[in-house]
Amino acid sequence: GQSLEQPSEVTAVEGAIVQINCTYQTSGFYGLSWYQQHDGGAPTFLSYNALDGLEETGRFSSFLSRSDSYGYLLLQELQMKDSASYFCAVRAAAGNKLTFGGGTRVLVKP
Amino acid sequence: DGGITQSPKYLFRKEGQNVTLSCEQNLNHDAMYWYRQDPGQGLRLIYYSQIVNDFQKGDIAEGYSVSREKKESFPLTVTSAQKNPTAFYLCASRRDEANYGYTFGSGTRLTVV
């Protein structure tokens, strides 16, 4: 099976940088995704890393190290609207489906 | 606009009843998924379908059933065999094979009364 670990909660102030780590254990690996979910809302896709390295999309970046079974999501220049839960999800070799982590709640303070 | 429509937004079920949650997409996506989310928790996969007339069990399929008779539709039935059905149910389709992004519907919040 698959398991993912990420911190349950992170608090930071506006303008700061937050890094959300995700470690995973899978039987086979295709890639790591990140999703954002505001309270009561639907998750929205942020990024996908299939290869080692850093992918940058605006204020958000995602990193993957396949050898370490580790990735992170970097949120820069934090804004109040970034307060949300962030989920990492792994696409394993067994079936075309995603397994999600428990989520990290990010609270941005003024 | 293309997207995924889930209905109803809120659903109340009496114990012992079956209920069906609707999921319709007009994105022309082949793969569709049902996830369950409990308060403060991650998403757990119930069922998924990669093509019409075919579906597979996810990690927590017991007490649920699905059908995929049309590409656009992937309804989920929560049966009376599901002992703890109160949860937020999310339907998704796979958006892009290159980045494997999912598009989610806005969810159905099911409460047992």
Side-chain angles (χ1 to χ4, degrees), chain B residues 37 44 54 86 89 93 97 103:
Chain B
Q37 187 175 32
R44 292 184 291 166
D54 186 51
T86 295
Y89 291 87
S93 64
E97 188 58 42
T103 298

Side-chain angles (χ1 to χ4, degrees), chain B residues 27-44:
Chain B
L27 300 165
N28 200 34
H29 291 169
D30 287 315
M32 297 186 72
Y33 308 82
W34 273 105
Y35 285 88
R36 168 182 172 142
Q37 187 175 32
D38 292 285
Q41 304 290 316
L43 284 69
R44 292 184 291 166

Side-chain angles (χ1 to χ4, degrees), chain A residues 3-65:
Chain A
S3 68
L4 298 91
E5 286 194 20
Q6 52 182 128
S8 60
E9 191 170 299
V10 173
T11 300
V13 296
E14 273 187 296
I17 299 174
V18 160
Q19 179 172 315
I20 303 170
N21 298 322
C22 175
T23 57
Y24 58 86
Q25 289 184 318
T26 69
S27 51
F29 177 84
Y30 279 152
L32 186 71
S33 299
W34 289 93
Y35 287 80
Q36 179 193 61
Q37 185 183 33
H38 289 97
D39 283 349
T44 56
F45 173 76
L46 293 177
S47 67
Y48 176 71
N49 294 66
L51 303 175
D52 287 357
L54 187 69
E55 298 274 349
E56 297 181 72
T57 309
R59 295 187 296 113
F60 294 177
S61 303
S62 57
F63 172 83
L64 176 66
S65 169

Side-chain angles (χ1 to χ4, degrees), chain A residues 35 37 42 45 48 91 96 98, chain B residues 35 37 50 99-100 102 105:
Chain A
Y35 287 80
Q37 185 183 33
F45 173 76
Y48 176 71
R91 180 190 174 196
N96 289 315
L98 294 180
Chain B
Y35 285 88
Q37 187 175 32
Q50 298 188 70
N99 64 25
Y100 221 72
Y102 282 13

